[in-house]
Amino acid sequence: MADTASGVPIGRFRRVWLYALCFLIVLFLVLPTIIVVPMSFTGSRFLRFPPEQFSVRWYEVYFNSVEWRDATWVSLKAAVLTMLVATPLGVLAAYGLHASRSKWARAVEVALIAPLILPLILISIGIFFLYARLGLNNTLLGLVLAHACLAMPFVFVTVLAGLKGYDMNQERVARSLGASRPVAFLTVTLPQIRFSVFSGALLAFITSLDEVVVALFISGGENATLTRRMFTALRDEIDPTVAAISSLLVALTLTLLALGLVFGDRRAGGRS
Amino acid sequence: MTEAANSAALAAAERREARGLFLLCSPAVLMIAVVVFLPIGWLFALSFLNEQGGFTLDHYARMLHPAYTRSFQTTFELSFLVTAICAALGYPLAYLMSQTSTVWRALIFVCVLFPFWTSLLVRTYAWLVLLQRRGVVNVWLQDIGLIEAPLRLVHNFTGTAIGMTQIMLPFMVLPLYAAMAAVDRDYVKAAASLGASPLKSFWQVFFPLTLPGLLAGTVLVFVLCLGFYVTPAVLGGGRVLMWSMSIERSVAVYSDWGAASALGVVLLVVTLAILWIMNRLFGVERFIGGR
């Protein structure tokens, strides 16, 4: 029974069961998020599958609402700025750490990925507490700074992985031929790790765009993010407008994921 | 210049350069230190101070109050349950990924990573829509006649567990798959050629070799569950009070920074203790570190 050629230690009959089980698990992973997309094209106030009549009513509500539009604008601005802050910092840190081989390297590495490990709720109330003293609550600057702290580790980890697969001797050659270190980095190293940098930047963008908990505490008023407004809307009632926004976010994510697969570093698909 | 002096000068230059390179980390380190570490240190100090600024353990003593202990109990129960289901679902899926053809593997990989990339809030919202009283799941179950009245699937423990399981599953599958992909197939073939039944070679050869991955996934999922806020807050509908929600309420509703800090510090200590012990015992770090 055992398929010894491929080393599969299960019989063929059991394998059918395994495929069936895994099919269900994959459906469980993907289907709930996908099914909201057709449901959002409903004309009624209740979300059904399949929707009773096709309509873009809730998309109109979304695009015509000043509140939702403002929140979307804030989220997009914050995501772009977060990416612009987190990417250079993460790349610099990864390069510095990789090239210097300091005895403190391990400690710095742990410190830089700490935002991924520490409980997010604790980080959030900490930032809220700090910002209350600095007057940064409900400001775009504060939001971007906080999101950059959460996003930078992804850039750092991705680029560090990219550098590990890169031969630093190439940069040494460039420098021995007269290039300064910055020039050697920009013209020799950076073009070769660009896929990791691209993946890291993409992750930074998405991290900021999707972030809820920190935004819940520190973004408000005219600088409330989209996710914050969605979260508040969810707690009160099931508003079909949120289904429309969710569908748009899923579409955006899929586009970015496709971009990531085409232009990014395939090894760096994961994030938390 | 003598050779010794020359090499000393070279070594000094190298040290200087290494120091300069190391400084490139400083903007990132500074940002994390000010925005993340400083406030947490501040909260740590705050958790030991009473309103007059004197030393007190009151905030910690208060955590023994039933209102808090109940939230700890809920948190641990939910985290254990979700972790166990994730392990039960994640193992077969990772196993299939490690055994199947490249095309299937890539396809499953995309499906496992898809929830990773889609917004947490969007996925949570989807469950809210599916599981509500007149949601898709209840309507379908009634249509095929499995149930008479709609089940209460959301705004309670059940809904929270279902949603959290789906959201945590990728964190279980990825380290598991990494461990399984690293298993040398020849071991399994050797067991088979020595007469072990497929079942026996699986349990006695393959399974023990994948235990580090299973442990890494288990630790990761469990630790993430302990501090989880968004999904329990939405799918629990205020009826499932988790540790993280006690913290949020202490701040947002009661402005009780002492209580919030103490709760946060204990959560941090428990999280780090679990990570540290598991890393010490099983070296799970190498499976988590690469994600």
Side-chain angles (χ1 to χ4, degrees):
Chain A
M1 281 292 272
D3 184 353
T4 41
S6 68
V8 182
I10 47 165
R12 203 154 286 144
F13 179 68
R14 280 202 197 86
R15 214 203 279 185
V16 175
W17 281 106
L18 183 65
Y19 272 95
L21 177 66
C22 288
F23 180 69
L24 291 177
I25 299 172
V26 166
L27 282 188
F28 173 68
L29 277 173
V30 178
L31 206 59
T33 318
I34 300 286
I35 210 173
V36 173
V37 178
M39 287 169 81
S40 70
F41 289 99
T42 180
S44 83
R45 282 193 52 245
F46 305 102
L47 294 165
R48 294 272 184 280
F49 188 83
E52 280 126 11
Q53 81 263 45
F54 178 86
S55 152
V56 289
R57 175 181 167 189
W58 300 108
Y59 289 85
E60 282 169 3
V61 171
Y62 166 65
F63 283 109
N64 289 329
S65 149
V66 180
E67 266 191 358
W68 283 118
R69 253 200 338 242
D70 283 353
T72 310
W73 190 229
V74 169
S75 275
L76 287 177
K77 265 194 293 191
V80 170
L81 291 173
T82 298
M83 183 175 79
L84 292 179
V85 173
T87 311
L89 290 189
V91 172
L92 275 184
Y95 178 77
L97 199 75
H98 184 71
S100 75
R101 293 191 218 91
S102 159
K103 62 179 169 183
W104 296 100
R106 185 68 198 141
V108 169
E109 198 178 336
V110 170
L112 289 180
I113 57 171
L116 300 182
I117 299 164
L118 299 173
L120 192 54
I121 185 81
L122 180 65
I123 297 180
S124 306
I125 63 165
I127 296 177
F128 180 56
F129 185 77
L130 178 77
Y131 281 9
R133 265 125 205 99
L134 299 177
L136 282 175
N137 278 325
N138 303 342
T139 65
L140 190 62
L141 173 69
L143 186 64
V144 169
L145 204 58
H147 279 177
C149 285
L150 301 178
M152 192 277 301
F154 289 114
V155 181
F156 174 73
V157 169
T158 323
V159 174
L160 200 61
L163 281 169
K164 276 178 184 151
Y166 164 75
D167 184 2
M168 284 294 262
N169 281 327
Q170 297 176 44
E171 197 180 299
R172 268 187 214 114
V173 171
R175 285 167 60 214
S176 81
L177 292 170
S180 67
R181 203 178 249 282
V183 170
F185 172 74
L186 287 175
T187 56
V188 179
T189 307
L190 195 58
Q192 297 200 53
I193 57 164
R194 66 182 185 277
F195 296 121
S196 326
V197 176
F198 182 82
S199 296
L202 210 58
L203 282 172
F205 181 86
I206 291 189
T207 302
S208 169
L209 193 68
D210 290 349
E211 204 286 325
V212 187
V213 187
V214 172
L216 212 53
F217 282 96
I218 66 157
S219 91
E222 59 181 23
N223 279 316
T225 66
L226 185 63
T227 47
R228 195 212 138 98
R229 283 218 190 282
M230 283 170 74
F231 185 85
T232 324
L234 286 193
R235 275 206 294 203
D236 305 335
E237 51 170 337
I238 298 185
D239 180 355
T241 319
V242 180
I245 302 172
S246 289
S247 309
L248 291 173
L249 280 175
V250 169
L252 178 67
T253 309
L254 285 180
T255 314
L256 291 177
L257 184 60
L259 276 178
L261 284 177
V262 175
F263 296 109
D265 182 348
R266 267 141 230 246
R267 282 163 304 176
R271 71 181 190 110
S272 77
Chain B
M1 213 192 263
T2 64
E3 208 168 296
N6 208 349
S7 72
L10 270 177
E14 203 167 292
R15 270 202 305 278
R16 217 169 27 245
E17 183 174 37
R19 225 177 292 136
L21 280 170
F22 203 54
L23 276 180
L24 291 177
C25 303
S26 55
V29 172
L30 192 71
M31 183 176 75
I32 300 284
V34 172
V35 181
V36 177
F37 292 151
L38 173 77
I40 289 179
W42 207 332
L43 293 183
F44 181 76
L46 221 55
S47 71
F48 290 104
L49 297 179
N50 59 23
E51 273 155 36
Q52 288 75 41
F55 177 83
T56 179
L57 287 174
D58 274 1
H59 300 305
Y60 291 94
R62 250 195 302 164
M63 285 168 57
L64 298 173
H65 189 275
Y68 287 127
T69 49
R70 212 168 323 122
S71 86
F72 297 149
Q73 199 192 339
T74 310
T75 306
F76 274 102
E77 279 173 7
L78 203 50
S79 304
F80 271 120
L81 182 70
V82 169
T83 311
I85 303 175
C86 279
L89 298 181
Y91 201 92
L93 190 61
Y95 182 69
L96 184 71
M97 278 168 79
S98 75
Q99 304 287 343
T100 192
S101 66
T102 328
V103 181
W104 279 108
R105 180 180 312 142
L107 211 64
I108 301 177
F109 238 119
V110 169
C111 291
V112 170
L113 289 180
F114 170 74
F116 240 0
W117 282 76
T118 35
S119 153
L120 176 69
L121 200 57
V122 168
R123 280 178 286 153
T124 304
Y125 174 73
W127 281 114
L128 193 64
V129 170
L130 293 188
L131 296 177
Q132 59 177 310
R133 216 182 113 77
R134 295 167 64 187
V136 174
V137 173
N138 266 324
V139 169
W140 282 357
L141 285 179
Q142 275 173 305
D143 282 353
I144 57 173
L146 220 61
I147 51 168
E148 295 275 306
L151 298 172
R152 292 194 47 89
L153 291 171
V154 80
H155 290 160
N156 57 16
F157 194 85
T158 318
T160 313
I162 295 174
M164 278 172 76
T165 303
Q166 190 231 12
I167 283 156
M168 289 298 163
L169 192 50
F171 293 104
M172 179 67 83
V173 173
L174 294 180
L176 261 176
Y177 171 72
M180 287 179 186
V183 170
D184 191 340
R185 294 278 169 266
D186 287 346
Y187 290 144
V188 181
K189 283 185 207 162
S193 79
L194 290 171
S197 67
L199 210 58
K200 198 167 180 179
S201 61
F202 174 82
W203 282 113
Q204 296 199 346
V205 179
F206 188 82
F207 184 72
L209 287 170
T210 58
L211 266 181
L214 186 60
L215 279 168
T218 304
V219 170
L220 195 58
V221 170
F222 190 75
V223 161
L224 288 173
C225 282
L226 281 185
F228 209 179
Y229 176 77
V230 176
T231 304
V234 173
L235 295 179
R239 288 191 192 82
V240 182
L241 196 63
M242 296 265 289
W243 198 329
S244 55
M245 287 143 86
S246 305
I247 297 178
E248 188 261 351
R249 279 188 189 191
S250 302
V251 171
V253 182
Y254 306 110
S255 292
D256 185 348
W257 282 96
S261 308
L263 285 166
V265 167
V266 175
L267 176 61
L268 177 68
V269 169
V270 169
T271 304
L272 292 181
I274 294 173
L275 286 173
W276 187 77
I277 292 169
M278 295 310 270
N279 196 28
R280 262 301 156 92
L281 290 179
F282 307 106
V284 293
E285 190 185 43
R286 64 206 153 100
F287 289 99
I288 299 176
R291 92 190 140 89

